[in-house]
Amino acid sequence: MRLRAMGLIVTLALSLLCVPLTAAEAQPRAKVPRIGFLGSSSPSPYEPIIEALRQGMRELGWVEGHNVTIEFRWAEGELERLPALAAALARLEVDVLVTQGTPAAIAAKHATQTLPIIFVQVGDPVGSGLITSLARPGGNLTGLSLLAF
């Protein structure tokens, strides 16, 4: 249940970024929106979350490979690879960058100041320097934080 909720929240945030802003943009696009996904670990433990994301997107009319593309990059636990992977996604000019884990979010923040970044599974986004405050993140980052006391 928790994985599906996280997938749905990310899906809703991503869908808002893809909604046309004017009637002229509502016409068929030649460009397919691209989502970049940067993960700190390997994909296997996150397959349920990724499937929840895909399912939530399908429910909103976004079908991977049809009208949206997802570019996955995984560091496979080698955190020193994250800056290069984040830079590669930024060069692809994805429409939004989703990151998993604090190290991936930090790498994405250093890679671009213009692309929207949505982080998930970040413990303390303020303490890690990702955002200025929970109420007003500022910059191009927002996302989900898991804080426990």
Side-chain angles (χ1 to χ4, degrees):
M1 181 66 177
R2 193 169 131 196
L3 295 177
R4 178 151 166 74
M6 184 180 294
L8 185 58
I9 290 169
V10 171
T11 300
L12 291 174
L14 293 173
S15 67
L16 290 175
L17 292 171
C18 296
V19 173
L21 299 177
T22 66
E25 288 181 345
Q27 302 304 314
R29 292 183 174 188
K31 181 184 178 224
V32 174
R34 291 169 68 179
I35 300 167
F37 186 96
L38 180 61
S40 299
S41 67
S42 64
S44 56
Y46 294 94
E47 287 176 13
I49 295 172
I50 294 167
E51 184 51 39
L53 170 67
R54 287 179 172 136
Q55 181 179 343
M57 290 178 62
R58 280 191 301 270
E59 290 170 6
L60 294 169
W62 296 100
V63 179
E64 186 179 5
H66 178 66
N67 59 357
V68 67
T69 301
I70 305 175
E71 300 284 348
F72 289 96
R73 301 294 184 272
W74 297 93
E76 301 287 340
E78 298 176 27
L79 301 183
E80 66 277 359
R81 295 180 57 209
L82 286 170
L85 293 171
L89 285 169
R91 281 192 304 275
L92 286 176
E93 297 182 5
V94 294
D95 295 294
V96 63
L97 185 53
V98 179
T99 65
Q100 172 266 317
T102 303
I106 291 170
K109 180 178 181 175
H110 291 298
T112 180
Q113 288 76 46
T114 57
L115 293 175
I117 300 170
I118 301 172
F119 55 80
V120 296
Q121 293 184 320
V122 169
D124 184 2
V126 176
S128 63
L130 288 170
I131 60 173
T132 54
S133 78
L134 294 175
R136 299 194 186 279
N140 58 323
L141 284 94
T142 191
L144 301 171
S145 174
L146 303 171
L147 295 173
F149 297 98

